[in-house]
Amino acid sequence: MIKTRFTDLFGVEHPIAQGGMQWVGTAPLVAAVAEAGVLGFLAALTQPSPRS
């Protein structure tokens, strides 16, 4: 079992993360990952502009 400050603070028993994959790490994927209880990262290069 991994024990870090993050896992203690958030009560995470098995830390799993979805990486920010270019062209794949879109908002719908991150939302689905978060709904499943996993830490998701939005890939900046999938956004059409800085305002999106």
Side-chain angles (χ1 to χ4, degrees):
M1 182 157 107
I2 297 174
K3 187 168 177 68
T4 66
R5 184 175 171 203
F6 176 84
T7 59
D8 287 343
L9 184 63
F10 292 97
V12 176
E13 188 174 336
H14 304 287
I16 301 172
Q18 167 258 314
M21 303 168 284
Q22 183 178 356
W23 309 119
V24 180
T26 59
L29 174 64
V30 175
V33 165
E35 285 290 320
V38 176
L39 181 61
F41 294 93
L42 184 63
L45 292 175
T46 63
Q47 305 308 304
S49 74
R51 293 179 181 244
S52 299

